[in-house]
Amino acid sequence: MSKPVPLIVGAGVAGLWAAWRLATEGRESLLLTKGTLSDSATAWAQGGIAVALGPGDSPAQHAKDTLAAGDGLSDPEAVDILVNEGPERIRELLALGAAFDRAEDGRLRFGLEAAHTRARILHADGDRTGAMLVRCLTAVVRHLPQITLLEHSEVRRLVSEGDRVVGAIVLDSSGRPHGIPASAVVLATGGVGQLFEVTTNPLGATGDGWALAHEVGAELRDLEFLQFHPTALKLTGVNPAPLISEAVRGAGALLVDSSGRRFTLDADARGELGPRDVVARAVAEADAAGGAFLDARALTDFATQFPGIHAMLRGAGLDPARDLLPVATALHYAMGGVSTDLDGHTSRAGLWAAGEVACTGVHGANRLASNSLLEGLVFSDRVAREVAGERDSVRIPERLATVDADADTGVDAAYAAVRQEMREIMTRGVGVVRTEASLADAQAGLTRLELATPATAWRTRRQLSVAQLITRSARGRRESRGGHRRADFPPRPARQPL
Ligand SMILES: Cc1cc2nc3c(=O)[nH]c(=O)nc-3n(C[C@H](O)[C@H](O)[C@H](O)COP(=O)(O)OP(=O)(O)OC[C@H]3O[C@@H](n4cnc5c(N)ncnc54)[C@H](O)[C@@H]3O)c2cc1C
């Protein structure tokens, strides 16, 4: 590749789609991931994709549900784009070969999920939607000559010239740094779950995109709004925590405490299908008081409906037809992120963001289940069209110099205990329920860890700095709203049932 092309960082739904769209617009791109193509949250998505294409549904109804979940902080314009452009993106996906589950008459089958007022969730192979998506999109991008694909390539830092981001320093699989000039950099690096002790997110979800953007002065926002999933399988020492999708509760599984009592009804009349944050807090309380369990014994066709989850449970020695399944809350999704406009442009020239790393304003204070894959598709599409339109208008240096400190010296390996302590601090102090005291403790603990970590352990330092940013944001929001619950600030009156 001679002339600088757009550099897409991350190969989940947002990165793969951006590369594909750029190719359809006649533009080359370099798509890289620090892992393999199957190391992304996208590949693990179980539940599905929400889209207003089912009988009796409409974009307006989808928007209404999304805004209700966002608890007053979603940007109505961003939501409008999501729900109105979503159907066309799904049609394009189908044309590319995406195999969503269909009813016997051949029509797409739409499932119902908590807080959606219509059946609008598309699945693939029951609970393997993400795996199908990644299979489909990687097959497409691998065959497009306009896309250069690099696995095991980690962005170490972004490079700016003047006020524009002009490329990145990338480490190859042996830790050697390379300067890659880019006509645009698109961050599609996913989430931050690995900063917490219990998370459903893959090992690569270490908040790199937030750190990279922050380091070059791009604005971040709403970092305190994190979604905790109520039903991760509780297995000591297993990271990431395996997820038991909401759809299992949708199919009739109940949440019970150690005495067998159905406890979620105390928190919300909708019980197990109440809003995710409400159910998560109820599970956290029951777990702390002796245990929380999912009782799926009454489900007769678990293995057929949820083949992936069934296999995972069997691997852990559990049989859902016989056993109560121990569950715990787990950090699942980040609503905030790198602040973008409606075309995915960040506050820095040359830098775009899409997918979970970005904050488009769609989710506000809380995400409606299954809206994130759709957001990844819709907004990466807009980013790619915008980037394609930038053609030839900017001057990018031909080479980017690396410095000695860019090389990966392997020092981070010696700081695993620091990262583990950080994860414990975050779960304890910035978890499902927060207080001024818990947040202040977390900040002090993180500062102590920062002081004990040399700059050469840069991955650890980067994670600590993102953890600090989250904690600071949570401390600054002195109210309970959406995914952010402060025990010292009483919640506003309960939401009206949908
Ligand atoms: C278990 C699980 C189940 C889920 N189920 C659903 C669901 O049913 N429906 C739904 O809508 N959402 C679901 N979600 C959320 C959804 O999967 C994610 O929000 C979405 O897939 C994020 O896509 P993305 O492209 O932004 O990032 P990801 O898919 O996470 O991809 C991030 C990419 O960035 C790369 N990367 C990160 N840092 C660097 C770096 N420094 N250098 C190079 N590469 C880097 C990673 O290697 C990876 O390729 C689920 C999430 C999880 C964890």
Side-chain angles (χ1 to χ4, degrees), residues 86-105:
E88 188 49 29
R89 298 292 81 80
I90 296 298
R91 285 188 204 103
E92 284 175 323
L93 255 184
L94 288 166
L96 288 172
F100 291 110
D101 293 344
R102 291 177 181 272
E104 268 157 28
D105 63 4

Side-chain angles (χ1 to χ4, degrees), residues 436-461:
E436 175 61 21
S438 80
L439 293 166
D441 277 358
Q443 262 185 317
L446 293 169
T447 303
R448 177 174 49 76
L449 294 178
E450 279 178 325
L451 292 172
T453 308
T456 45
W458 53 270
R459 286 192 191 85
T460 308
R461 283 287 288 261

Side-chain angles (χ1 to χ4, degrees), residues 8-16 32-50 113 121-123 129-130 133-134 152-156 170 187-191 199-202 204-209 212 229 241-243 245 276 331-334 354-358 367-376 458 462:
I8 301 167
V9 188
V13 64
L16 289 165
L32 55 80
T33 165
K34 65 180 174 180
T36 67
L37 286 175
S38 49
D39 291 333
S40 66
T42 300
W44 294 7
Q46 292 178 349
I49 304 189
E113 263 183 22
I121 319 298
L122 289 172
H123 298 97
T129 312
L133 264 184
V134 169
H152 303 294
S153 301
E154 178 180 17
V155 171
R156 164 75 173 89
V170 177
L187 293 174
T189 49
T199 180
T200 60
N201 288 192
T206 44
D208 298 13
L212 292 166
H229 200 286
L243 179 67
S245 157
R276 206 172 254 187
L331 196 284
H332 188 55
Y333 184 79
E356 190 168 339
V357 68
R367 173 189 69 131
L368 185 64
S370 290
N371 262 354
S372 37
L373 290 173
L374 190 70
E375 189 204 26
W458 53 270
R462 196 152 79 174

Side-chain angles (χ1 to χ4, degrees), residues 83-309:
V83 298
N84 284 298
E85 295 184 10
E88 188 49 29
R89 298 292 81 80
I90 296 298
R91 285 188 204 103
E92 284 175 323
L93 255 184
L94 288 166
L96 288 172
F100 291 110
D101 293 344
R102 291 177 181 272
E104 268 157 28
D105 63 4
R107 284 194 234 179
L108 288 170
R109 183 186 286 145
F110 293 91
L112 185 61
E113 263 183 22
H116 287 272
T117 54
R118 299 285 187 280
R120 65 165 72 97
I121 319 298
L122 289 172
H123 298 97
D125 300 331
D127 58 4
R128 293 180 172 131
T129 312
M132 180 281 292
L133 264 184
V134 169
R135 234 178 9 254
C136 168
L137 291 176
T138 53
V140 170
V141 301
R142 276 188 198 285
H143 288 100
L144 285 169
Q146 297 92 336
I147 301 171
T148 304
L149 192 52
L150 283 180
E151 294 178 291
H152 303 294
S153 301
E154 178 180 17
V155 171
R156 164 75 173 89
R157 65 181 169 93
L158 300 178
V159 181
S160 300
E161 208 177 76
D163 63 359
R164 185 181 177 93
V165 172
V166 293
I169 305 299
V170 177
L171 300 177
D172 64 22
S173 55
S174 57
R176 258 199 324 269
H178 302 269
I180 301 186
S183 59
V185 175
V186 180
L187 293 174
T189 49
V192 300
Q194 285 294 328
L195 306 186
F196 286 73
E197 191 181 11
V198 185
T199 180
T200 60
N201 288 192
L203 295 176
T206 44
D208 298 13
W210 291 13
L212 292 166
H214 183 64
E215 282 160 14
V216 294
E219 191 184 304
L220 308 181
R221 70 172 151 135
D222 294 351
L223 307 189
E224 67 276 24
F225 293 120
L226 296 169
Q227 189 171 83
F228 292 84
H229 200 286
T231 51
L233 185 64
K234 189 174 181 182
L235 294 174
T236 311
V238 176
N239 177 29
L243 179 67
I244 305 178
S245 157
E246 203 130 33
V248 176
R249 278 174 278 135
L254 302 178
L255 279 163
V256 294
D257 63 17
S258 52
S259 66
R261 201 176 70 86
R262 224 181 129 193
F263 57 85
T264 48
L265 286 170
D266 302 345
D268 192 284
R270 288 162 286 185
E272 285 76 5
L273 295 182
R276 206 172 254 187
D277 56 309
V278 175
V279 181
R281 282 194 295 275
V283 167
E285 264 177 42
D287 184 28
F293 303 87
L294 197 61
D295 184 352
R297 290 175 299 182
L299 274 60
T300 48
D301 55 352
F302 196 106
T304 339
Q305 254 188 299
F306 309 109
I309 300 172

